[in-house]
Amino acid sequence: MTSPSIVWFRDDLRLADNPALRAAIDREEPIIAVYVLDDGSSGLRMPGGAARWWLHHSLASLRERVTERGGVFLLRQGPTAAVISELVAETRAGAVFWNRRYGGPERELDTGIKAALRQRGVEVRSFAGSLLFEPWTVRTGSDTHFSVFTPFWRACLALPAPRDPLPEPRELHGPRTAPASDDLDDWQLLPTAPDWAGGLRETWEPGEPAARVRLREFLEEDLPHYDTARDEPAAGATSLLSPRLRWGELSPFTLWHDATRQEGAGRFLSEIGWREFAWHTLFHFPQLATRNLRREFDAFPWPRLKPTRLAAWQRGETGIPLVDAGMRELWHTGFMHNRVRMVTASFLIKNLLIDWRRGEEWFWDTLVDADDASNPFNWQWVAGSGADAATYFRVFNPELQAKKFDRDGHYVSEWARDAPTEPIVDLGETRKAALAAYETMRRAR
Ligand code: FAD
């Protein structure tokens, strides 16, 4: 009698360099791949609208690739622990393998599932597939975790180098009769009424094959200009790999392996380091999306929310060209260049005096790369309340930022040609008000 291996896919929607999948292949029993759509009942944060669009297409691509290789890929919906438990019983699986997640509720859920299955005699193993360095392995001299990036990254680089990526399997053997699967369309991950995803379709092709193509293209064509042009939103010099990493279509080990073989990749790799730092910070501070990392910011005197101002920011109707261009790029493509993310976030927090959490929620819903770590980590970084954060009184001036990083105005004219020209706030006055609010907070300490 066979005892199949279940590979539980989560944020690792790929075949190449997938250690959980590799372990299942090595076990030499039929493989059942599964993805569980949890409705949030386990305390997990549900993906936002743009991320759900990406998830739909990435799952469709992965399922096709698994099937082409002779495997089965199931979709099941419901509370994760119950779904996995039932699938093990139904298929008489002897093993369940997965790649680790690092958010608080995810870890709690996975630990519970692991313990329950082991009690039933099922082999359960988890693997490192999403981060180059496990969060508990990077420690300061006094055995604490790092709160400043530069020594953090230095410590990472002093550890044994990340392992080589694992090859992509050519064949997968599923059970003779495939267990039932949901229909992906029934999950309704795609927007319908209205269908706002036209810009996403124009911009992206989710799935592992397209991720590999983009990595190759970036390393060959764009990496040489990365250091000098990465801050210019119109230059097209960055990798656009963030959604690929978010959904695990591309493993950071593959990226590391391929990029370290190129000349001058240090700066690019240190950006991957920021991703690691964000995830390590979430591991040590699971409430990153809701609580100030620096507790003194709990006393920040946010004024009462003016919904019309928040709406003007969301729609790209602030009358500040670089801000409006960024917010319109985001709405249309599900993406925004990093420099512009910093400028739009700073404008919301410091010129509109709106709590960073409102901005984080909007990005969560509209970014295809929104993840549990990088999004709140960076919002807190801009707000000044986070790890190794920009100081609060560093207020980006969006006009000067545009002069410096969009000299010829290409980015603004691409995205904000027809935006309003009358600013909703005075940049100088609001900057002063923000600094005064910051002083009030400091005095409240
Ligand atoms: P590249 O410049 O090519 O960088 C390569 C990779 O490094 C990126 O794909 C990303 O995985 C990682 N990276 C680069 N910068 C950062 C950073 N500051 N923090 C964490 N990882 C980084 N990134 C996300 O992946 N998801 C988010 O939800 C997210 N939200 C953000 C919110 C705000 C307010 C800000 C200021 C930044 C946010 N970022 C987020 C970080 C950054 O803007 C994006 O990772 C980057 O723009 C993606 O473009 P790229 O892949 O071309 O980057």
Side-chain angles (χ1 to χ4, degrees), residues 147-166:
S147 51
V148 179
F149 175 71
T150 305
F152 164 82
W153 192 229
R154 207 181 301 129
C156 290
L157 297 178
L159 289 170
R163 61 169 172 74
D164 282 346
L166 304 163

Side-chain angles (χ1 to χ4, degrees), residues 16-38:
D17 192 49
N18 190 322
L21 181 60
R22 172 57 48 188
I25 294 168
D26 291 346
R27 195 167 165 267
E28 297 185 344
E29 292 281 356
I31 294 174
I32 299 167
V34 64
Y35 184 90
V36 181
L37 185 71
D38 195 315

Side-chain angles (χ1 to χ4, degrees), residues 226 238-242 245 271 335 338 341 369-370 375 378:
Y226 185 79
T238 69
S239 70
L240 306 179
L241 289 174
S242 51
L245 288 162
E271 296 304 320
F335 186 85
N338 181 57
R341 291 189 200 198
D369 64 19
N375 196 41
N378 280 288

Side-chain angles (χ1 to χ4, degrees), residues 296-351:
E296 66 264 33
F297 273 77
D298 291 352
F300 194 89
W302 299 110
R304 203 145 64 88
L305 177 70
K306 292 195 175 120
T308 49
R309 288 200 172 173
L310 178 61
W313 177 81
Q314 290 171 336
R315 293 196 197 114
E317 290 174 358
T318 67
I320 306 289
L322 186 58
V323 172
D324 291 345
M327 298 310 292
R328 286 162 185 235
E329 180 191 17
L330 174 61
W331 181 251
H332 190 75
T333 67
F335 186 85
M336 194 197 297
H337 184 276
N338 181 57
R339 169 67 39 188
V340 193
R341 291 189 200 198
M342 292 195 281
V343 171
T344 53
S346 170
F347 182 79
L348 182 83
I349 299 166
K350 298 176 187 178
N351 296 103

